Amino acid sequence: MTVKRFRAVGHGLKVELVLRSLMIMYLVAGHVDSGVMGWVLPKVLVARPARDVLEERKIRKLAGARHAPGDWIRRARMITASWDGKSTAVIADELGCHPQTVRERLHRFNIHGMEGLGDRPGSGRKPRLTETERSRIVALVATTPPGRLTRGSDGVLQAEQDGAPSSWTLDSLTKTLRTEGICRCS
């Protein structure tokens, strides 16, 4: 990591600007007379440049999107605003969030790239059903129950299966799902 230091002394105040290779800047100031650095200003964090033209195009397209997840759009707007030279405070004010949120998102983008725009997997209980099983359950509920009376071509009312439920209830759904091998409930 390359470090460049710039120092300025004037009116009893010493200011040191430290530039690091990750485009992180620290401004440290203190009194010359005391010989001790008195206070440290917060670091200024900016988004790293895009790795290639394709990454920049994707992020700018996402920042202007209307039909993408809202959190991804907001985070992409933070990155593009940083590329446009805006400070974290200005970005936070424009997007209606806290400057620390902007700094955290910029830091995560600098480390993880596009993948850093998404949410991390949350803690907690994992889903009991796969998406395929869930889709099959939704499709089953949309069908007509096998015991519902329907009028045949001869005009007579009859059920598809005698003794089957005429409407979907929780018990009838569970029984049907068990026979199809979807439900692992007890």
Side-chain angles (χ1 to χ4, degrees):
M1 179 183 301
T2 60
V3 176
K4 296 179 183 176
R5 296 179 183 271
F6 302 95
R7 294 176 189 224
V9 177
H11 302 291
L13 188 66
K14 177 171 67 173
V15 177
E16 181 178 356
L17 180 63
V18 181
L19 298 173
R20 296 188 182 246
S21 63
L22 290 175
M23 298 179 70
I24 300 173
M25 298 184 292
Y26 298 91
L27 182 62
V28 182
H31 291 284
V32 175
D33 300 336
S34 67
V36 177
M37 302 307 265
W39 43 275
V40 177
L41 295 176
K43 64 182 175 181
V44 178
L45 183 64
V46 295
R48 65 161 173 76
R51 289 200 171 105
D52 54 11
V53 178
L54 182 63
E55 183 182 54
E56 183 176 359
R57 188 179 316 138
K58 282 182 182 179
I59 292 174
R60 290 200 184 272
K61 183 177 180 181
L62 183 60
R66 292 178 182 252
H67 300 289
D71 52 348
W72 282 68
I73 293 172
R74 186 175 182 169
R75 294 164 190 168
R77 287 180 181 165
M78 290 177 189
I79 304 304
T80 56
S82 178
W83 284 344
D84 295 340
K86 296 179 182 175
S87 69
T88 54
V90 172
I91 296 169
D93 189 47
E94 285 178 0
L95 297 176
C97 62
H98 196 275
Q100 182 62 34
T101 304
V102 176
R103 285 191 292 274
E104 288 171 1
R105 291 299 167 184
L106 292 177
H107 181 70
R108 206 154 149 229
F109 172 76
N110 289 344
I111 294 172
H112 300 288
M114 280 285 288
E115 291 78 29
L117 297 180
D119 288 333
R120 292 185 199 141
S123 60
R125 183 174 152 188
K126 301 298 178 228
R128 293 175 65 181
L129 298 172
T130 65
E131 274 302 311
T132 306
E133 291 170 334
R134 185 180 175 284
S135 297
R136 288 176 63 191
I137 292 170
V138 169
L140 178 65
V141 171
T143 62
T144 305
R148 181 168 289 166
L149 295 175
T150 55
R151 194 167 303 277
S153 60
D154 57 355
V156 177
L157 289 175
Q158 65 185 60
E160 195 177 304
Q161 290 179 358
D162 289 333
S166 61
S167 62
W168 289 122
T169 63
L170 186 56
D171 290 335
S172 62
L173 277 172
T174 304
K175 184 177 178 183
T176 306
L177 292 171
R178 279 189 189 141
T179 59
E180 291 188 17
I182 297 174
C183 187
R184 295 177 295 275
C185 6
S186 53

